[in-house]
Structures are given as C-alpha cells and as structure tokens.
Amino acid sequence: MTIGIGLLGLGTVGAGVAGILTTPQGRHPLVSELELRRVAVRDLSRPRPLDLPEAILSTDPEAVVDDPAVDIVVEVMGGLEPARSLILRAIEAGKPVVTANKAVIARYGDEIAAAAAAKGVYVLIEAAVGGGIPIIEPLKQSLGGNRIQRVSGIINGTTNYILSRMADEGAAYADVLADAQRLGYAEADPAADVEGGDAADKIAILAGLAYGGSVERTAIPTEGIHRLDGRDVNYADQLGYAVKLVASARCLGTDADGTVQLDVSVGPTLLPRDHPLAGVHGVNNAILVEGDPVGRVMFYGPGAGAGPTASAVVADILNIAGIREVAGAGGALDPLLAASRWRRCRLVDPGVSQHRNYLRLRTGDQPGVIGRIGSCFGDEGVSIRSIVQFDSSLDGGDAEIVVITHEVAEASFRRALAAIEALGDVTAVAACLRTL
Ligand code: NAP
Ligand code: HSE
C-alpha cells in the first residue's frame, strides 16, 4: 500500500525531497512506497529543477493538507505563518508532520507538541537543525541516559561558509553571501543567518531536547557575524585561533524546584586551532555534545543545502511510514529494519574493490630502479600519485622507495606488486597499506 505525501513548498529543500521521492532506486525499499501526491507552491509559473505532473501542484496549501490522498504532511515552505497554522491543521486532521522549519519549532514547539500529543500523531524535525546531520534523534534517544553538560556547535551553514571563504580566499563578504544564497544555503531573508537568529532558533531546539524543557527563544543573547571586523579574524589567526559563529547551551546546575539553569548564547567565538570545532569549514556544521558519562561526542556534516536537508526530511518520512506499517502488524523493534524489507547483500570479490595504496619498498640503490617499478605499475594500468626515494642509509646500503597510487582495482595492484617483487632490485615489500 502506498503512502501519500503532501509537500508544502518546492524550493531548495522541497525540490530536494521531491527528487528523492521520485527516484527510489537504490534507496531504502520503503521509499518506493511513498508517493508524492500534492505539492503547494506560491507561484505555479516559477521554473522548477524537476518535472512533476502539473495536476499535483497547487497554490492552496490548506487543500494539500486536507486532501484525503495525503497521509503525511511535509512542511518545507519556511516562515512563521501560514506554516504554523498548516502544521496545526495537519495535526488536527490526525496527519503526521515532518518539518524543517526551525523558526516555527523554536517559537511554537510547545503548542505543536501539545497538539500532536493530544491527537497522538508524530511531528518529526530532524532537518530543522544541522541540515543532513542526524542530531535530533540521537539527542532524543541515543544519548538519553546522560546528564548533558553542554551542547555547542557551528549550526549555521551560511555563516560558516562565509567565514571560511573570507579566511581562506580573502573573498568579499557580499560576494560570498550571494554565493551562499545561490547555493541554497541561506534563509529566504539571509538576515536570519548573518545576524545569528537562525543559530539561536536551532540552539533553542537543541537545548530543549538536551535538557527536557523549552527555552525562551527571544531571551537568548544573540550576535551574528555581520558586525565582525576582519582585523579581529586576522589577529585571532595570528594568535592561533579560528573565529566561528558558535551557539552554545551549558547547564549551570539545577534549582531546588528542579528548574535547570542554562547559559545559552550565540556569537562569534575564538576557538583554539586544536578545538574540534575549529576544523569545521565551509557549509559544514558540527555539534559537540558533552555528557556524563559519555564524554564528548561530535556530530559533523553538511549543515545546509538541498541534498543534505532533504536527506534528513526523507529519513523522518520513512520513520513515520515504517511506524505506520508495522503498527498494524503487531509492531517491530525497529520499523525500518523489519525482516520483510531486509535486502539480500553480498560481498564482492576483493579483486574488484577499488582503493588507493601506500607501498614502501626496500631496493638496491641502483640507477633505473624507480623506472622499473613505474613500468610494473604502468603495465597493469595502475596510476601513480607520488613516488619518492628516501636516503639509502639502511643496512646494506638499501634505499627506501615509497609509492602512493591513485585509486585502482585491487587485482591490478596485486599483479603490479607481484611483478615488482620479482624485480632483482627489490629486496623487500616493507609495507603495503590502504590509503583514503
Ligand atoms: P525556499 O527555497 O524559499 O522555498 C520555499 C518554498 O515554499 C517555495 O517553493 C515557495 O513557493 C513555497 N511557499 C512559501 N510560502 C508559501 C505559501 N504561502 N503558499 C505556498 N507555497 C509557499 O526555502 P528553503 O530553503 O527550501 O527552506 C524551506 C524551509 O526549510 C525553511 O523553513 C528553512 O528554514 C528550512 N531549512 C532550509 C535549509 C536549506 O539549506 N535551505 C536547511 C534546513 C532547513 P515558490 O517556489 O512558488 O516561491
Ligand atoms: N540557512 C540555514 C543555514 C539553512 O545556513 O544553516 C540550514 O538550516
């Protein structure tokens, strides 16, 4: 039985979601049971990056929510209204909702959660924080046994992209912001990105999940990167720090009545270069969770853009679809791993696997030895990325030659290696390692 999807929005994220739903091959088998039945947009004449039947497009988002053919409502239109009302309307109709809208969840999360609980429907929000990074479900489930001391991170892709390109290339702020908009990273109004509001929405959501209670979104001290002076980035760099827009929620203790004291903020922050967040560049995000007893766990990946965000949205849809399916069949431990959907997998012959290789050879220090080794590789179509001879101070005057290959089939590499071992000059294959 197929499950009908109603999509509210066909912009950056909506088009990414539609792209996954309409190309199920090679994905989880349940994707082929999801059918995109209705799509709401603002402007029917706007060109779209994918072809959908005209009949499913509509400028009436309420009609999409109400359509009996729609089983799950996916809200990716953005903004506060009508997004909030449409989510509540779907819940009222008993339809589960998936949304990427952190602005709505950060402000109306309590209202939406209460409505969903009253109706017994799911509202899943994995795409609302961290783009393609799974962070919502891990915080809700996998880290549930911890006392969370701090959740901090780089959770706005646009600003991290801007800061990275300004630092690496000396690119101009306005140019890089325009690129971020073209690439689909920025919010419809990019002030939400550069002034820190988007990161504040996200840290409010993360803090709510980590500490089990809602946080007053408007009270979060928030500073963006729009007033950041390049000279400070430069001086920080000279002192061994990277400057990143960091959002942080730290637990300072619990009052006698059980109220958790939280220090939550968003702002440009100096990070020592060896800090795990300092190496997060470009559109990537990372969220560092510090808990007792787990210690430090970091979640890292692309934080914005069509593909990564759609990946998170579709994961939520699949979770809901899987739960719906198994509910009628007595339930299962994990709906997406139900035995009926278990695919057959087989390991390929190792000879066809492709990878790069590192090889350290001991050879006589003879003229032409590197050429002969190179020929053995060339005869098997193995392309060399680098080949270096180190000084011949080894016992017996042997030289060490280190080769790194491009990605090649294991079988070709092994044949080349056998030919190299047979060369009179090679005294030993001292090391052979795979290289990423
Ligand atoms: P977008 O490109 O601006 O797309 C918005 C879509 O919603 C457009 O298709 C627009 O229609 C439609 N829409 C807006 N208002 C509407 C209305 N009143 N009635 C019918 N359709 C309406 O936005 P986006 O980047 O995809 O972001 C969507 C949501 O995902 C936002 O909440 C955003 O914060 C969130 N998000 C975005 C990203 C990202 O990387 N972009 C990542 C995570 C979360 P038209 O196309 O006809 O204008
Ligand atoms: N505008 C947001 C960002 C999209 O740049 O991080 C992802 O939530």
Side-chain angles (χ1 to χ4, degrees):
M1 199 181 69
T2 56
I3 296 168
I5 306 299
L7 197 56
L8 305 178
L10 191 61
T12 300
V13 180
V17 172
I20 295 178
L21 297 183
T22 52
T23 57
Q25 306 79 4
R27 310 190 195 281
H28 191 285
L30 199 46
V31 178
S32 59
E33 292 171 39
L34 305 174
E35 191 183 338
L36 188 54
R37 297 209 172 126
R38 297 293 301 273
V39 181
V41 295
R42 221 169 1 202
D43 177 1
L44 287 173
S45 66
R46 192 176 149 192
R48 307 284 166 189
L50 77 173
D51 281 331
L52 293 176
E54 259 179 46
I56 72 168
L57 295 179
S58 162
T59 53
D60 183 353
E62 291 187 352
V64 171
V65 172
D66 296 346
D67 191 326
V70 166
D71 301 304
I72 300 175
V73 173
V74 179
E75 187 278 303
V76 284
M77 68 197 321
L80 296 180
E81 286 293 353
R84 167 188 158 275
S85 300
L86 290 164
I87 291 171
L88 291 170
R89 188 180 182 99
I91 294 169
E92 185 56 32
K95 298 186 182 188
V97 175
V98 173
T99 178
N101 196 328
K102 54 269 171 158
V104 163
I105 297 300
R107 286 163 187 77
Y108 303 110
D110 286 351
E111 181 188 21
I112 289 169
K119 278 285 177 181
V121 299
Y122 285 92
V123 176
L124 298 188
I125 60 165
E126 188 59 72
V129 184
I133 306 172
I135 178 63
I136 300 291
E137 291 303 313
L139 260 187
K140 271 160 59 176
Q141 298 178 15
S142 321
L143 295 168
N146 285 273
R147 282 192 204 99
I148 304 293
Q149 293 140 346
R150 184 174 188 149
V151 179
S152 56
I154 294 169
I155 49 178
N156 182 268
T158 301
T159 46
N160 205 47
Y161 176 79
I162 292 172
L163 289 175
S164 301
R165 284 199 50 201
M166 286 175 72
D168 297 348
E169 305 163 25
Y173 176 89
D175 294 346
V176 196
L177 174 57
D179 282 347
Q181 289 177 287
R182 190 177 42 76
L183 291 164
Y185 302 157
E187 295 302 301
D189 176 0
D193 297 294
V194 298
E195 293 177 14
D198 178 77
D201 289 345
K202 292 167 176 170
I203 197 68
I205 294 171
L206 295 180
L209 294 172
Y211 299 106
S214 60
V215 168
E216 198 186 333
R217 163 63 184 85
T218 50
I220 297 176
T222 303
E223 177 65 45
I225 63 162
H226 57 310
R227 282 197 279 261
L228 187 62
D229 191 320
R231 274 176 306 183
D232 296 316
V233 178
N234 189 7
Y235 293 151
D237 182 50
Q238 292 180 42
L239 293 168
Y241 294 87
V243 181
K244 301 280 183 188
L245 185 69
V246 172
S248 163
R250 191 152 58 114
C251 178
L252 301 182
T254 308
D255 294 343
D257 68 354
T259 306
V260 185
Q261 297 170 33
L262 292 179
D263 177 12
V264 183
S265 65
V266 172
T269 304
L270 268 67
L271 297 165
R273 261 198 222 102
D274 60 356
H275 189 281
L277 293 176
V280 176
H281 300 298
V283 73
N284 288 308
N285 283 189
I287 299 111
L288 190 61
V289 182
E290 295 165 60
D292 168 30
V294 71
R296 279 177 153 192
V297 183
M298 189 154 105
F299 298 82
Y300 169 85
T309 313
S311 157
V313 169
V314 174
D316 279 350
I317 299 174
L318 287 173
N319 269 319
I320 292 169
I323 291 163
R324 278 171 62 101
E325 278 216 335
V326 296
L333 203 55
D334 187 329
L336 292 185
L337 294 180
S340 57
R341 304 205 176 283
W342 209 232
R343 280 177 284 185
R344 208 151 11 137
C345 300
R346 79 178 163 77
L347 300 183
V348 297
D349 174 347
V352 306
S353 75
Q354 300 257 343
H355 43 84
R356 298 190 181 92
N357 305 275
Y358 163 99
L359 189 63
R360 180 162 58 86
L361 303 168
R362 285 195 176 184
T363 72
D365 193 7
Q366 309 294 337
V369 63
I370 288 187
R372 286 187 286 282
I373 291 168
S375 298
C376 293
F377 281 125
D379 291 347
E380 295 299 339
V382 175
S383 171
I384 294 174
R385 186 181 171 132
S386 60
I387 182 162
V388 182
Q389 178 171 339
F390 290 92
D391 82 14
S392 55
S393 54
L394 295 167
D395 292 347
D398 272 2
E400 283 206 303
I401 294 177
V402 168
V403 184
I404 296 181
T405 73
H406 284 289
E407 194 167 280
V408 289
E410 174 73 5
S412 309
F413 177 73
R414 287 288 153 195
R415 281 195 299 273
L417 189 56
I420 289 167
E421 283 183 287
L423 290 174
D425 314 293
V426 174
T427 45
V429 175
C432 180
L433 307 171
R434 287 192 179 184
T435 306
L436 287 180

